Amino acid sequence: TGESLTAHKTILCGEPPKRAKVRLREDGVALVGGVPFFPIGVYSVCEREFNGNSLDKAFEDLKAAGVNTVHSYSDTRGEKFLSAADRHGLKVWSAVWKADKAFVEKTRHHPSVLAWYVGDDTSMHATPFEVYDRSDSVLSADPTRITAQADVMNSGDAVSSYRPFVKTTDVFMPEIYPCHDEKRNPDPECVAKAVRDMKRFRSDVAEAKGGRPKAIWPIIQYFDGWNAWKRFPTRDELFAMSFVTLVHGAQGITWYTYGGFPEPKKNRINRGVTATPEIWANFTNLTSRIAELVPALTMPAPMQPKPAKVISGPERDAFLNESVSVSLRRAGCDAYLIAVNGTCQAVTAELDLFDRVDGDVEVMWESRAVRPNGTAVRETFAPFAVHVYHWRTPDVEYVGHQGEEELAPNHSRPAYDFAVKNGLDRIKLDIRETKDGEVVLQHDDT
């Protein structure tokens, strides 16, 4: 065809870093040294007037609000940023395009790094081969971390922006920035777009087939400026966009951006989550709530209840998704049902809790409770409303029948490993004796 391809390979001669390994569980949840980790992050953290020009103050405030992962454009590989993050127990996704000398000798050894960020607005600036080479290069020198990229999803196109890049990194960070027009407030498509992006991500991964587990850490808009975005999302839009990505399977979440990039000489004023006290309060209130749900968000998703049944109001959102998205999550005896109205109209719906609950169900952060009728609750959702229901299940022991037999072949080592990782209390085994006197783990006498 007259075309050529050059692949750049990196070979590490020497010892790889010795530290707790970061990897993705089979369902995409990050594991740091085998312990589940749910990234709650923000872009472009830097010294600004908001934090008294102190990274320590910035990280202290963010950690208090439940943020555990940070990124900086200006100093993301610098010792100052990495060390400050480490002092406050925060993780970093750090930009690196290749395993250069500085990376091999210094950056890859830093304990604060969670992931190597090898693509920003990926499809606009690189080919899939180039991004694969970047990922391959840094993982050759540091096989203890994972790689990530960020891009617009273009989920409404025949081929999404992500589809050609599925196999290039472990993590994809779709940029969900739908609130542009001041006149379009609220925007009926903002939450619907988040749902569409999340569904498209899953279909792109399924169509690619094979390869390592993949994770999605969506980037939610909480900024204005850059000429194209005339307004911040409203508080309701922000909360609904964020929580609906959790409902649809996000294994982490981030927001863009911390402080913006004010450039008055270029007539560009860009603002982020630190723009005003009200915007900062909205942001930290949101991150604190999500942090409270992390124990459930890092557990494997359980069997799900029936979809919400709409009694009145729209049954579909702007992109024909179900108007009310729901997800059941569990952590030990605690059960949580996250429900989000994806439309800018009121909706009354019947929610299936899956469990038969005796007594009231708490509606978190709303100072109220509801009384189920069996397993069902009827609720009215304001436009873009988010309700999180919490109840306690009976204090029972969970036993893996033949291991976690729905996740791996029964009576196999992976099935037993899943049972341990998923926190089951016991494993039930079937034991048989063969004709020649050997004891085997097997259900029947075949």
Side-chain angles (χ1 to χ4, degrees):
T1 64
E3 298 176 356
S4 64
L5 170 65
T6 301
H8 299 271
K9 295 299 176 185
T10 300
I11 301 172
L12 175 67
C13 300
E15 291 292 322
K18 292 181 172 62
R19 66 172 65 83
K21 188 172 183 178
V22 180
R23 63 183 180 87
L24 296 181
R25 201 168 63 194
E26 288 75 7
D27 59 359
V29 170
L31 299 174
V32 181
V35 178
F37 182 83
F38 191 89
I40 302 174
V42 62
Y43 266 83
S44 188
V45 181
C46 56
E47 295 175 336
R48 295 290 295 270
E49 64 286 349
F50 182 84
N51 53 50
N53 293 308
S54 167
L55 282 176
D56 283 307
K57 174 63 174 169
F59 292 154
E60 179 183 341
D61 292 343
L62 288 167
K63 185 169 185 180
V67 173
N68 58 21
T69 313
V70 291
H71 176 83
S72 169
Y73 284 121
S74 58
D75 193 30
T76 191
R77 289 178 66 186
E79 180 66 27
K80 182 178 180 179
F81 187 87
L82 294 173
S83 296
D86 192 44
R87 282 196 299 274
H88 294 275
L90 297 175
K91 293 296 183 183
V92 178
W93 69 97
S94 182
V96 55
W97 271 201
K98 64 179 179 179
D100 55 19
K101 183 177 180 180
F103 175 83
V104 172
E105 294 182 355
K106 294 186 65 175
T107 315
R108 72 189 178 110
H109 296 288
H110 210 286
S112 66
V113 176
L114 174 71
W116 300 118
Y117 189 59
V118 298
D120 188 84
D121 292 335
T122 313
S123 60
M124 289 183 274
H125 303 296
T127 68
F129 298 105
E130 289 170 330
V131 178
Y132 181 84
D133 272 356
R134 294 175 192 172
S135 184
D136 187 58
S137 175
V138 298
L139 292 180
S140 295
D142 179 16
T144 68
R145 268 48 173 267
I146 55 180
T147 58
Q149 59 171 308
D151 201 2
V152 176
M153 189 88 183
N154 289 334
S155 55
D157 292 351
V159 178
S160 77
S161 300
Y162 175 59
R163 182 61 184 84
F165 293 85
V166 169
K167 295 185 178 182
T168 63
T169 59
D170 302 298
V171 178
F172 182 58
M173 306 173 76
E175 301 168 9
I176 303 175
Y177 307 159
C179 299
H180 292 265
D181 194 343
E182 290 176 314
K183 297 178 182 178
R184 201 172 169 87
N185 182 357
D187 188 333
E189 295 184 353
C190 65
V191 182
K193 184 178 187 300
V195 175
R196 188 176 71 178
D197 280 4
M198 293 298 297
K199 288 184 174 181
R200 187 61 182 272
F201 166 82
R202 288 186 170 188
S203 66
D204 283 349
V205 171
E207 289 171 12
K209 298 179 182 178
R212 297 176 297 189
K214 303 297 178 184
I216 184 167
W217 303 347
I219 314 169
I220 308 299
Q221 177 189 355
Y222 206 34
F223 66 84
D224 69 359
W226 284 269
N227 296 326
W229 291 272
K230 306 300 183 184
R231 68 175 180 91
F232 276 84
T234 66
R235 180 190 183 281
D236 290 342
E237 288 171 331
L238 169 70
F239 274 61
M241 284 191 294
S242 301
F243 272 97
V244 87
T245 65
L246 305 182
V247 169
H248 287 276
Q251 294 95 356
I253 189 169
T254 61
W255 292 268
Y256 193 88
T257 179
Y258 176 81
F261 305 95
E263 299 175 292
K265 292 182 179 179
K266 297 181 180 180
N267 196 29
R268 294 198 304 181
I269 303 296
N270 313 307
R271 303 184 301 163
V273 303
T274 59
T276 69
E278 179 185 4
I279 288 171
W280 174 252
N282 289 341
F283 174 71
T284 55
N285 184 245
L286 173 60
T287 56
S288 297
R289 292 183 181 190
I290 292 176
E292 197 172 336
L293 298 175
V294 161
L297 294 174
T298 52
M299 288 295 291
M303 188 177 293
Q304 292 298 297
K306 294 179 290 187
K309 179 182 178 182
V310 174
I311 308 301
S312 64
E315 295 186 4
R316 298 285 169 179
D317 66 16
F319 293 130
L320 302 182
N321 309 298
E322 292 174 340
S323 59
V324 178
S325 297
V326 295
S327 176
L328 177 66
R329 307 303 296 247
R330 299 186 188 275
C333 295
D334 292 290
Y336 304 87
L337 185 74
I338 306 171
V340 182
N341 178 9
T343 76
C344 56
Q345 301 178 52
V347 176
T348 298
E350 187 173 271
L351 308 176
D352 177 22
L353 302 182
F354 197 84
D355 298 328
R356 182 173 293 277
V357 182
D358 296 324
D360 290 341
V361 169
E362 174 195 8
V363 187
M364 297 181 68
W365 315 302
E366 296 186 34
S367 300
R368 68 184 180 96
V370 294
R371 179 62 61 94
N373 179 12
T375 64
V377 167
R378 180 172 292 195
E379 282 276 87
T380 296
F381 291 76
F384 296 139
V386 176
H387 297 316
V388 180
Y389 305 90
H390 169 239
W391 64 95
R392 298 276 293 175
T393 56
D395 186 11
V396 300
E397 284 193 333
Y398 290 90
V399 181
H401 178 243
Q402 306 178 128
E404 282 275 45
E405 61 178 344
E406 291 189 359
L407 300 179
N410 58 16
H411 287 319
S412 68
R413 177 59 62 86
Y416 302 147
D417 287 342
F418 275 125
V420 174
K421 292 173 185 174
N422 293 350
L424 297 185
D425 301 295
R426 300 176 186 274
I427 303 171
K428 176 256 185 186
L429 309 177
D430 292 308
I431 297 177
R432 295 277 173 172
E433 185 176 354
T434 63
K435 289 181 179 179
D436 56 352
E438 294 291 335
V439 175
V440 296
L441 301 180
Q442 172 69 21
H443 178 268
D444 49 51
D445 58 5
T446 59

